[in-house]
Amino acid sequence: MTVLTVEQWVAETAKLTQPSEIVWCDGSSAEWLKLTELLVSNGTFIRLNPELRPNSFLARTDPADVARVEDRTFICSTHEVDAGPTNNWRDPLWMKNLLRSLFKGSMRGRTMYVVPFAMGPLDSPQARFGVEITDSPYVVLSMHIMTRVSNGVLEKISKGADWVPALHSVGAPLLDENGVQSPDTTWPCNVEKYIAQFPESNEIWSFGSGYGGNALLGKKCMSLRIGSVLGRNEGWLAEHMLLVKLTSPSGKNFHIAAAFPSACGKTNLAMLRPTLPGWKVATIGDDIAWIAPDSDGRLRAINPEAGFFGVAPGTGLKTNPVAVETMRANTIFTNVALTEDGDVWWEGLTDDAPANLIDWTGKAWSPLSGSPAAHPNSRFTVSLSQCPIIDPEWDSPAGVPLDAILFGGRRATNVPLVVESRDWEHGVFMGATISSEQTAAAEGVVGTLRRDPFAMLPFCGYNMGDYWQHWLKVGQSLKADDLPRIFQVNWFRKDANGKFLWPGFGENARVMEWIARRLENEVSAQESAIGKLPIIRDLNLEGLAISDEKLAEIFQIDKAAWHHEAELTAEYFAKFGEQLPAEMGQQLELLRSNLTKL
Ligand code: SAT
Ligand code: MN
């Protein structure tokens, strides 16, 4: 796809951005050592107490550069319809011109790093390659953890492998055009930000932010936005899904991928500790899965990433001890609080805050400060290999055969604890209609559904209607019996008093067990208007104090509420015009006629 060689692209970019130096990165531990020392000496990193948290660092960002910027994220396809109604679109030539003017001289006085990276194991048929050019050493170190950085990637490219050019600048040159020096800050960035994807040339240009998915271009930009486009062109799926192996007491393995919108406990499910004796979960990924048909006609999945970029607040010894254990060393923390003894803390790590904290902005903090000590979107960046329950196959070039796909959301009403789709098409409808309810805490009408189809709303690199069509096509191209089965889950249903009906967390293993038993055809299910529901006696509820009334409520299908939901779905589907696959309209009609019969 890319017409330039890596060397030509680097030379051309250097001419445009005018760095003072070019460094080719190799992902080695020597490089890690050198760059961490550089960042400690210039104040971007605080080295944490090596006795408590070896080889770990705290970075504090500019307070205005703390999250992905969705309204500054653009899909630049020639035709607007190819970006679709859910994306911000810009003409590619227009955007390139604008970006060229912003990137002109943007690295003056800084070092330009060239980072060759693989998404997926280097020798996996599912791996894809990229080269990120960045003027941020923080980004280089984060890429070390989140991707596979190595010279092996350049070798693959020199032998003809396709690659994605991913250009990043924090947009804060240290010299002006006359060579006059300005002082550096510990978190350089620019108030003007652009995260631009070019799906027709598979390029990424990111300007102005040093943070997370804005700057680590292997993650959302390449693995999802460009990845989804590659997947459509090449017949595979790039998905915002966790990936786990579930093992039954008899030793049978089930590989499960699951898509949830933000704030629905994806990382917790990826690191689930089942409360059911004998059941085990092993982590493969917590954010992204690439799913492709193999030569036997089955879907196989890899996690293209090599690390976790997890939200710190709420990750605690009670909620997710596996994550806490994972980040015991070799971790980059961003925007969390610093303790007196040189360790880190955030809300939810422990019940009580330690004394004498420094908050994420660098100020002394106490529980009376009136603001959180750690930023709500503060993060830990750590290698998957450190996860105590990592699946030995997480790094396998062949990936894992996929047995089930779960779609979830945060739904106080309507959606039962678990429902199985009737078939692939119905499963695609479940994914396309994922939504999470607005809570009372946020602005907007409580109960309003926020649509997040396939949990891909900010991550699909092309028209969402075409994306649904692509999912249908992948299903049609394989034998129905060989396809993973699709389920919808909802841990968040509430009773009339606003109390959760289901305990969640480790108890979700009971739902996973039912899913596994369905996959084994050990239990039957009952048809309903919205799909196949469990027969209550098949759910393993041993040791769980839950009343029959509550259970009935968790699975109740309210006719009027579902009719209303179908109305909202019809309104939502209308946005996609001709791009809405006919099958989605048919599934909606089927739902409506099923409801009428209730
Ligand atoms: O900042 S990231 O996009 O990497 C993480 C997230 O927003 O989920
Ligand atoms: Mn994510």
Side-chain angles (χ1 to χ4, degrees):
M1 192 59 139
T2 320
V3 279
L4 297 176
T5 64
V6 176
E7 287 77 9
Q8 285 167 335
W9 177 62
V10 168
E12 207 175 73
T13 305
K15 215 166 124 197
L16 177 69
T17 60
Q18 301 162 32
S20 53
E21 199 192 343
I22 301 176
V23 170
W24 289 73
C25 298
D26 60 9
S28 63
S29 31
E31 187 170 278
W32 172 271
L33 204 64
K34 202 166 144 192
L35 291 180
T36 52
E37 275 169 7
L38 172 73
L39 287 186
V40 169
S41 73
N42 75 14
T44 299
F45 270 179
I46 296 166
R47 187 185 296 280
L48 298 175
N49 185 338
E51 280 170 25
L52 302 173
R53 200 77 66 168
N55 191 28
S56 297
F57 305 88
L58 166 63
R60 295 187 187 127
T61 71
D62 184 299
D65 193 22
V66 293
R68 276 186 299 102
V69 282
E70 288 181 14
D71 58 341
R72 307 302 303 159
T73 299
F74 301 94
I75 300 298
C76 309
S77 47
T78 308
H79 302 290
E80 186 169 2
V81 65
D82 292 330
T86 59
N87 280 313
N88 297 316
W89 172 82
R90 290 289 184 280
D91 175 80
L93 294 176
W94 182 91
M95 182 58 97
K96 273 284 176 64
N97 269 336
L98 175 81
L99 286 170
R100 271 201 204 97
S101 70
L102 290 171
F103 273 89
K104 188 161 180 237
S106 76
M107 296 188 187
R108 261 192 234 115
R110 295 195 184 277
T111 300
M112 177 173 121
Y113 299 93
V114 182
V115 187
F117 64 95
M119 300 313 298
L122 198 60
D123 289 316
S124 169
Q126 282 183 257
R128 293 294 181 275
F129 308 114
V131 181
E132 176 159 353
I133 288 180
T134 177
D135 53 6
S136 161
Y138 168 91
V139 166
V140 178
L141 289 166
S142 303
M143 290 292 283
H144 269 219
I145 296 174
M146 296 306 298
T147 73
R148 292 146 171 103
V149 175
S150 88
N151 284 330
V153 172
L154 294 177
E155 261 168 57
K156 293 265 183 198
I157 294 173
S158 71
K159 288 186 188 138
D162 275 340
W163 59 287
V164 172
L167 174 54
H168 170 250
S169 173
V170 293
L174 288 172
L175 300 173
D176 71 12
E177 57 261 42
N178 303 314
V180 178
Q181 180 109 26
S182 50
D184 205 357
T185 66
T186 53
W187 190 271
C189 59
N190 194 304
V191 285
E192 203 173 347
K193 296 177 175 50
Y194 285 90
I195 318 297
Q197 282 74 198
F198 297 86
E200 286 149 13
S201 53
N202 298 337
E203 289 168 274
I204 302 160
W205 291 55
S206 162
F207 181 87
S209 167
Y211 192 83
N214 298 332
L216 314 178
L217 303 186
K219 198 173 179 57
K220 309 294 191 185
C221 302
M222 172 160 165
S223 290
L224 292 177
R225 297 195 194 98
I226 296 295
S228 60
V229 172
L230 295 176
R232 178 197 56 187
N233 297 344
E234 300 168 3
W236 52 280
L237 305 164
E239 299 304 324
H240 191 207
M241 291 179 180
L242 66 89
L243 191 57
V244 292
K245 180 174 83 187
L246 175 71
T247 306
S248 73
S250 66
K252 174 100 190 163
N253 292 328
F254 306 90
H255 294 100
I256 299 175
F260 295 85
S262 359
C264 294
K266 209 144 116 258
T267 305
N268 287 346
L269 184 58
M271 298 179 179
L272 183 82
R273 292 205 309 179
T275 49
L276 291 180
W279 287 84
K280 273 198 317 240
V281 164
T283 311
I284 302 175
D286 79 328
D287 198 36
I288 299 175
W290 280 358
I291 303 168
D294 66 11
S295 50
D296 296 330
R298 287 207 59 185
L299 290 179
R300 295 189 82 87
I302 63 164
N303 171 10
E305 300 196 279
F308 301 109
F309 183 66
V311 177
T315 307
L317 292 164
K318 282 191 191 141
T319 52
N320 193 339
V322 176
V324 175
E325 168 65 13
T326 303
M327 50 181 123
R328 64 197 175 273
N330 314 313
T331 305
I332 300 173
F333 295 92
T334 305
N335 288 342
V336 300
L338 181 67
T339 67
E340 211 173 9
D341 52 1
D343 202 2
V344 285
W345 190 82
W346 49 80
E347 282 71 17
L349 177 62
T350 52
D351 284 345
D352 298 313
N356 302 325
L357 281 179
I358 308 288
D359 75 7
W360 70 279
T361 68
K363 291 199 201 72
W365 183 93
S366 85
L368 303 173
S369 294
S371 57
H375 187 277
N377 193 35
S378 55
R379 299 278 172 158
F380 56 87
T381 311
V382 65
S383 169
L384 281 164
S385 63
Q386 285 190 198
C387 174
I389 60 163
I390 194 75
D391 184 63
E393 283 195 284
W394 77 272
D395 206 16
S396 151
V400 296
L402 203 55
D403 299 297
I405 295 172
L406 274 47
F407 292 120
R410 186 179 280 275
R411 296 295 306 266
T413 61
N414 285 24
V415 181
L417 181 62
V418 57
V419 52
E420 184 182 343
S421 66
R422 288 179 293 268
D423 52 26
W424 184 264
E425 228 171 70
H426 181 215
V428 173
F429 178 76
M430 283 176 167
T433 52
I434 293 185
S435 48
S436 268
E437 262 146 20
Q438 194 97 25
T439 62
E443 278 180 357
V445 186
V446 174
T448 309
L449 296 184
R450 234 188 36 174
R451 299 281 166 173
D452 190 353
F454 286 75
M456 283 286 277
L457 187 63
F459 305 125
C460 184
Y462 60 105
N463 188 302
M464 186 67 81
D466 294 339
Y467 164 91
W468 298 337
Q469 189 69 63
H470 178 56
W471 261 81
L472 292 167
K473 197 168 141 196
V474 168
Q476 283 151 6
S477 71
L478 302 171
K479 283 207 238 94
D481 281 351
D482 291 340
L483 286 168
R485 304 248 286 265
I486 301 179
F487 298 79
Q488 182 172 27
V489 296
N490 176 29
W491 321 135
F492 301 98
R493 195 152 179 182
K494 289 180 176 171
D495 66 14
N497 301 319
K499 283 230 165 86
F500 286 116
L501 287 161
W502 182 250
F505 297 102
E507 305 295 3
N508 294 337
R510 298 173 191 274
V511 176
M512 304 294 263
E513 190 213 62
W514 181 77
I515 290 171
R517 295 184 71 195
R518 285 291 299 157
L519 296 174
E520 288 293 86
N521 297 317
E522 274 176 31
V523 291
S524 52
Q526 42 183 331
E527 300 289 340
S528 81
I530 61 165
K532 299 179 186 183
L533 293 174
I535 298 165
I536 297 291
R537 62 161 192 276
D538 293 330
L539 285 173
N540 184 343
L541 300 170
E542 218 178 299
L544 190 69
I546 188 163
S547 65
D548 290 350
E549 294 75 46
K550 271 194 176 179
L551 266 179
E553 216 177 325
I554 286 181
F555 288 102
Q556 197 212 336
I557 297 168
D558 182 303
K559 186 173 172 175
W562 269 97
H563 266 301
H564 180 59
E565 178 133 1
E567 281 315 308
L568 296 175
T569 298
E571 274 168 36
Y572 185 64
F573 278 178
K575 289 192 182 40
F576 296 90
E578 284 180 10
Q579 256 64 33
L580 181 78
E583 290 88 341
M584 292 298 96
Q586 288 154 10
Q587 286 291 331
L588 179 59
E589 280 323 301
L590 182 59
L591 171 65
R592 281 174 153 157
S593 83
N594 286 346
L595 290 170
T596 322
K597 286 181 217 144
L598 275 187

